[in-house]
Amino acid sequence: MVKSWFGSMLIAACGAAFAGDVSEIERRRLFEPSEAELRAETNGRIYIYDGLTQSDITAALDQEFDRVESMMFIRVRPTDNKGEVLMDPASGEELVEDDGC
């Protein structure tokens, strides 16, 4: 796994495997932001959420709609109607949407 810091954003070169390590931090920021995080968003900060599930993002867009302009989602993990992450039948690994970047 290759990790590097770029400003205040962590960049990982190992895809969704790394996303699990920070997903709880990102989910907390998404659904229970601190006052400092809300102030940063008000001042124009955009948080990039990496590797969250489709069901988490759908919930965030419903519950946190007034903050949507401060959110960007990459490497989204698609889920079924029960919220379970979809698996690639060929490889057995979690599916990850390609954001085209």
Side-chain angles (χ1 to χ4, degrees):
M1 170 178 18
V2 176
K3 294 186 282 184
S4 64
W5 285 96
F6 181 76
S8 62
M9 178 176 53
L10 179 63
I11 300 172
C14 63
F18 180 74
D21 295 344
V22 296
S23 63
E24 288 307 310
I25 295 168
E26 291 189 343
R27 288 185 82 250
R28 195 257 335 130
R29 180 185 299 136
L30 190 60
F31 294 108
E32 299 172 19
S34 69
E35 290 299 319
E37 290 164 339
L38 290 173
R39 276 193 307 276
E41 288 179 1
T42 299
N43 290 323
R45 173 156 302 165
I46 297 172
Y47 288 105
I48 300 172
Y49 297 92
D50 184 7
L52 292 179
T53 65
Q54 179 182 8
S55 55
D56 282 339
I57 294 168
T58 299
L61 295 177
D62 289 341
Q63 298 170 22
E64 306 293 334
F65 185 77
D66 57 328
R67 298 174 44 229
V68 72
E69 68 275 356
S70 299
M71 301 173 189
M72 180 178 177
F73 303 101
I74 62 172
R75 290 190 286 257
V76 175
R77 297 169 25 224
T79 55
D80 62 16
N81 58 1
K82 296 178 185 175
E84 298 293 323
V85 176
L86 298 177
M87 306 300 277
D88 182 329
S91 69
E93 296 181 14
E94 290 184 352
L95 288 175
V96 177
E97 291 181 3
D98 181 3
D99 55 29
C101 293

